[in-house]
Amino acid sequence: MATATYLPSSFSFSSPPPPPSSRARLRRQTTRAGASAATDRPREVLSPKRRLPLREVPGDYGPPVLGAVRDRFEYFYGPGGRDGFFASRVRAHGSTVVRLNMPPGPFVARDPRVVALLDAASFPVLFDTSLVDKTDLFTGTFMPSTDLTGGYRVLSYLDPAEPSHGPLKALLFYLLSHRRQHVIPKFREVYGDLFGVVENELARVGKADFGHHNDAAAFSFLCQALLGRDPAESALQGDGPKLITKWVLFQLSPLLSLGLPKHLEDSLLHSFRLPPALVRKDYGRLADFFRDAARSVVDEGERLGIAREEAVHNILFATCFNSFGGMKILFPSLVKWLGRAGARAHGRLATEVRDAVRAHAGEVTMKALAEMPLVESAVYEALRIEPPVAMQYGRAKRDMVVESHDYGFEVREGEMLFGYQPMATKDPRVFARAEEYVPDRFLGEDGAQLLRHVVWSNGPETASPTLQDKQCAGKDFVVLIARLLVAELFLRYDSFDVQVGASALGSSVTITSLKKATF
């Protein structure tokens, strides 16, 4: 289903809609944030007896255009960075639900105004597609040109009510499952090679850039495990990660900071879109690879009623943007937090991993992984403290009341709701020591109860994605391969050290020492 390029011809910065005329009417219509029919939402949201006092959403958008530019500069370049931008609004208004402008604003996004949800109680309303519309909101207040995705609005930009959403999500479930028996052996093979390269580089120069080597390994693993093709043996050779990174930059540049002088960077990246024509040949090389390598998956798409070219571009997007992009952010983050956890945590993890593998004839299997609860908890904790997708958006389908821990807030139909996930998953009213990485946080019955507040996948960890929602189709796949990374790491090493820096996407992680396994 081809669509026209999303390039708004005008920009609207009109005043926010007036408050509802009748609080009593809205109180009768109060919708618990994220409640719907699910029973695994946070207890603060689900309780049917709570009736919190109503409060107007505090904050303002400032003057047209200038207010949005002001907020954009504070977001990218203010003290405390992105986290500081949101925390300062919470302090200023004494509220975790506030009005503000989200980047990029002029002249990329038509309307930057949002109601920001900055706690664990209000955030889950964004999962309930009976309350919020998700059309074209994957990247927020703007949508990249469909010239970057073969002329198609791919699944990430579709609302579940759209007729093509169900078949396309079913196709992704098929992509992730049809070669499931290859996932563990291919992961061990590819990431075993990665650690060999890291060891050699460490011996040669005293340090190794994990992120660089992870990019190559992630793309190779995904193509071999899911498609049965090694990209190094195709026309792509070793260029896949480089092409993907450039292509992603052209989609997300209005939301990124590359460390350039702020006025230059704001003009180049945040005020205008990078021309898709500059990456057309690179994207064409990726599309050619997937037309050939994903032929059997495309055949399944055709059986589901999806045109072959539409299937190709959706498979490409899911593999390169969603899966590769997720591994590019999550795996360095996981290594960073594990590296900082220290030798005692490393010892516990190594003991658990090796005992479980020995009990299964020296093989890493699903049964062996099931006997590694600390590994699983350590992965969930990394997803909690630094979720790979930090932001969620939804447009209110009707007047409603969204509740924080303490107040109900009136939201009008058509208003944009925005959730900053790191503040929801580090909410101190849900998580003790919320700013600390605690590897065993999710062990035991109490830990299991907290899993419903781990929402990196656009839904609670206790739920499973369906054709009717926007929860990540690869939720369980991501957790599995993250557990495999931890297991592979501690099968090989007793402990390791890292240096951490910043990057445009997540963290830059350099491994500075590896202590090989001694038991």
Side-chain angles (χ1 to χ4, degrees):
M1 179 177 64
T3 65
T5 302
Y6 182 89
L7 286 172
S9 58
S10 62
F11 300 89
S12 171
F13 295 98
S14 57
S15 301
S21 58
S22 170
R23 289 195 174 198
R25 174 176 59 83
L26 270 174
R27 192 182 295 273
R28 288 193 298 271
Q29 294 179 352
T30 296
T31 304
R32 316 303 298 181
S36 66
T39 59
D40 44 20
R41 300 296 194 256
R43 65 174 66 89
E44 295 88 342
V45 179
L46 282 177
S47 172
K49 296 181 180 179
R50 295 180 72 210
R51 286 296 181 267
L52 297 176
L54 287 178
R55 180 183 177 186
E56 297 289 336
V57 180
D60 66 86
Y61 303 115
V65 181
L66 294 179
V69 172
R70 174 204 66 194
D71 284 359
R72 185 169 76 201
F73 267 81
E74 185 180 343
Y75 175 92
F76 284 113
Y77 312 113
R82 186 171 66 180
D83 288 0
F85 172 76
F86 297 115
S88 68
R89 301 307 177 91
V90 172
R91 288 194 301 269
H93 300 292
S95 173
T96 51
V97 177
V98 296
R99 294 187 184 277
L100 50 82
N101 296 292
M102 275 301 294
F107 298 96
V108 175
R110 182 188 298 268
D111 188 349
R113 300 170 303 163
V114 302
V115 175
L117 313 177
L118 305 175
D119 60 53
S122 60
F123 189 89
V125 73
L126 294 162
F127 309 149
D128 191 336
T129 53
S130 71
L131 300 177
V132 296
D133 184 274
K134 306 290 276 190
T135 304
D136 296 339
L137 299 183
F138 179 61
T139 49
T141 58
F142 79 106
M143 178 182 168
S145 168
T146 56
D147 287 349
L148 293 164
T149 50
Y152 294 92
R153 289 173 61 236
V154 293
L155 177 65
S156 292
Y157 293 96
L158 302 182
D159 185 81
E162 297 185 63
S164 56
H165 180 277
L168 286 171
K169 195 165 185 180
L171 179 63
L172 296 197
F173 286 143
Y174 177 81
L175 170 68
L176 292 163
S177 65
H178 80 294
R179 285 176 50 86
R180 54 187 173 274
Q181 71 273 19
H182 297 281
V183 171
I184 292 178
K186 279 299 176 185
F187 188 93
R188 297 207 67 201
E189 176 187 329
V190 172
Y191 275 81
D193 291 344
L194 174 147
F195 285 118
V197 171
V198 166
E199 287 181 21
N200 291 337
E201 189 171 322
L202 196 59
R204 192 174 70 253
V205 298
K207 60 183 180 180
D209 183 344
F210 177 79
H212 171 72
H213 298 303
N214 177 64
D215 283 359
F219 187 62
S220 179
F221 158 71
L222 289 168
C223 293
Q224 292 190 64
L226 302 183
L227 304 176
R229 289 290 301 274
D230 185 348
E233 297 176 356
S234 74
L236 283 181
Q237 299 181 338
D239 293 341
K242 177 181 66 178
L243 299 177
I244 297 168
T245 300
K246 183 178 177 182
W247 170 65
V248 170
L249 171 65
F250 272 64
Q251 294 176 75
L252 298 184
S253 59
L255 303 177
L256 301 179
S257 178
L258 302 182
L260 303 173
K262 63 182 181 181
H263 290 288
L264 174 64
E265 181 174 86
D266 194 68
S267 298
L268 289 177
L269 297 184
H270 307 148
S271 300
F272 304 97
R273 299 166 186 258
L274 297 177
L278 297 180
V279 77
R280 183 176 295 128
K281 288 184 179 179
D282 296 328
Y283 183 74
R285 290 183 65 192
L286 291 169
D288 287 344
F289 171 78
F290 279 90
R291 284 188 192 96
D292 180 44
R295 195 170 299 163
S296 65
V297 185
V298 173
D299 290 343
E300 176 65 18
E302 202 164 32
R303 285 191 287 273
L304 292 168
I306 303 166
R308 295 189 70 85
E309 270 300 288
E310 185 172 13
V312 166
H313 294 288
N314 273 275
I315 295 164
L316 189 163
F317 193 90
T319 305
C320 297
F321 193 108
N322 299 135
S323 301
F324 172 82
M327 293 174 74
K328 182 180 179 69
I329 296 171
L330 174 60
F331 277 21
S333 171
L334 182 54
V335 171
K336 173 185 75 174
W337 290 110
L338 287 171
R340 289 175 169 177
R344 183 177 178 184
H346 295 172
R348 292 178 63 197
L349 285 160
T351 299
E352 179 182 84
V353 169
R354 295 170 200 178
D355 286 351
V357 171
R358 288 187 190 112
H360 291 271
E363 296 293 329
V364 177
T365 63
M366 291 301 294
K367 288 183 178 179
L369 288 170
E371 295 173 14
M372 303 178 194
L374 180 59
V375 168
E376 189 171 40
S377 175
V379 168
Y380 287 144
E381 178 69 342
L383 290 164
R384 177 198 72 85
I385 199 168
E386 194 173 7
V389 178
M391 303 177 191
Q392 296 290 343
Y393 290 81
R395 192 173 296 281
K397 287 184 173 180
R398 60 175 181 266
D399 294 356
M400 68 176 89
V401 171
V402 175
E403 293 190 351
S404 69
H405 293 293
D406 301 309
Y407 296 98
F409 296 89
E410 300 168 347
V411 173
R412 294 297 304 273
E413 178 182 353
E415 286 197 287
M416 182 77 82
L417 298 173
F418 156 78
Y420 184 56
Q421 190 173 153
M423 293 190 78
T425 56
K426 292 188 285 189
D427 187 332
R429 294 177 67 166
V430 173
F431 295 102
R433 299 158 59 197
E435 298 289 338
E436 296 181 36
Y437 179 78
V438 182
D440 59 1
R441 186 185 296 276
F442 297 101
L443 294 182
E445 186 175 341
D446 289 343
Q449 289 295 316
L450 287 173
L451 277 176
R452 56 185 169 178
H453 301 284
V454 178
V455 292
W456 67 273
S457 63
N458 198 16
E461 191 59 38
T462 49
S464 295
T466 71
L467 300 181
Q468 291 76 41
D469 62 31
K470 293 302 291 181
Q471 189 165 26
C472 174
K475 166 183 168 285
D476 295 334
F477 177 80
V478 170
V479 174
L480 169 62
I481 60 176
R483 291 159 66 195
L484 287 171
L485 177 66
V486 179
E488 195 67 31
L489 190 57
F490 287 106
L491 279 173
R492 292 170 172 270
Y493 310 108
D494 288 345
S495 190
F496 65 98
D497 295 302
V498 297
Q499 289 178 347
V500 179
S503 74
L505 294 171
S507 300
S508 169
V509 176
T510 300
I511 296 177
T512 57
S513 73
L514 291 168
K515 182 181 178 182
K516 289 193 175 182
T518 57
F519 65 91

